[in-house]
Every structure is written in C-alpha cells, then in structure tokens.
Amino acid sequence: MLVLGICMAVSGFAGGVRWAVDGGGIWKALGMLSVGILGVLIVVSYFVNYDDR
C-alpha cells in the first residue's frame, strides 16, 4: 500500500500540474490533483497505522 500511495501521489500531482499548465481543463486537472491527495492520505495512514502496531 505504501508503494501504491507514493505512486498515486507523485503521478497525481505531476499530472494535475501538467494538465493545468497545458490548458487541458480545470476539472480534469482537479481530478488528477485529487488522486494525488488520495495518495498522500494513503501514505500518511500507512505510517499512522504502522506506528499503532
């Protein structure tokens, strides 16, 4: 899950910024950025859950 979260975070933020710069539309850029945010939440939850063990 950690690797999946990192991949989602990196690709989501990079894709969202690139989509916004290229002028692809704000909704698709926000969709990509939301994937990045979800990836960050997965990574944070992994470490919080790991700390609780």
Side-chain angles (χ1 to χ4, degrees), residues 2 38-50:
L2 178 65
L38 182 63
V40 168
L41 290 176
I42 289 173
V43 171
V44 168
S45 68
Y46 176 84
F47 284 115
V48 168
N49 190 22
Y50 186 77

Side-chain angles (χ1 to χ4, degrees), residues 14-41:
V17 169
R18 181 172 177 167
W19 200 278
V21 169
D22 287 344
I26 190 67
W27 292 112
K28 290 189 180 184
L30 287 176
M32 292 295 290
L33 289 172
S34 66
V35 169
I37 292 170
L38 182 63
V40 168
L41 290 176

